[in-house]
Amino acid sequence: MRLPPSSSRRGSVLIVAMIFSAGIAVCLVSFIRLATSATQLSYRSFYAGPAMNAAETGLEYGMWSVNKQLAGESSAAWSGWGPSSTSTQAQRTFNLGSLSGGATSQVKVYVNRRDLAGEPFIVARSIITPRSGPQIEKWIKVTLKKRARFASGLVAKDRITF
């Protein structure tokens, strides 16, 4: 017994429609994955600026303490700093609060040679913890040197009269 030609066409149209639907599903899934990864990259880029600002803030805290040490106000300079294994090193963690999007920010500052012997350096490490995904870190290291008293030559505020 032979089937009429119209019924055999219906089956082939169904198979073509299923293959076409599967192709569209693969395209949609790949587009959703692409959009998700683009969103994650944009969040990381968004938090990169505040991470650098937080590291600079930590560096300023360290420099403030070193300048207070040079001015002879060592008790004000190093209050709250946790001593490490020797008295010439200091470290401190500052929680800077939350950012938009539910991320939190903190900066860890390490000062080596806080007695200012040799060439001290300051390391500031900022950590941004987003709501989801890995942490974003920025590091800054600054080596301090004493400058010469007359390194700038002639400097005046308004004018120089000889």
Side-chain angles (χ1 to χ4, degrees), residues 26-155:
V26 168
C27 289
L28 283 175
V29 167
S30 63
F31 178 74
I32 289 172
R33 285 190 180 172
L34 177 69
T36 303
S37 62
T39 302
Q40 289 173 346
L41 285 174
S42 69
Y43 275 126
R44 291 190 67 75
S45 297
F46 176 72
Y47 289 129
M52 194 65 183
N53 291 341
E56 289 175 352
T57 300
L59 187 64
E60 289 292 327
Y61 279 132
M63 287 295 298
W64 179 83
S65 290
V66 167
N67 285 332
K68 287 291 188 181
Q69 177 83 8
L70 285 172
E73 302 173 26
S74 60
S75 62
W78 302 107
S79 62
W81 289 75
S84 54
S85 59
T86 66
S87 63
T88 62
Q89 300 171 350
Q91 56 192 3
R92 188 167 181 188
T93 300
F94 299 96
N95 290 317
L96 301 178
S98 61
L99 303 171
S100 63
T104 59
S105 175
Q106 72 175 3
V107 63
K108 296 182 179 194
V109 183
Y110 170 77
V111 180
N112 187 29
R113 307 297 306 174
R114 72 177 187 177
D115 59 351
L116 304 179
E119 289 186 351
F121 64 86
I122 302 170
V123 177
R125 173 186 170 206
S126 70
I127 303 166
I128 305 288
T129 307
R131 219 177 336 168
S132 64
Q135 293 179 337
I136 297 136
E137 293 186 10
K138 293 287 183 181
W139 293 67
I140 299 177
K141 179 181 178 184
V142 175
T143 303
L144 307 174
K145 292 183 181 180
K146 289 185 180 180
R147 62 180 177 182
R149 188 171 296 276
F150 300 107
S152 300
L154 295 175
V155 178

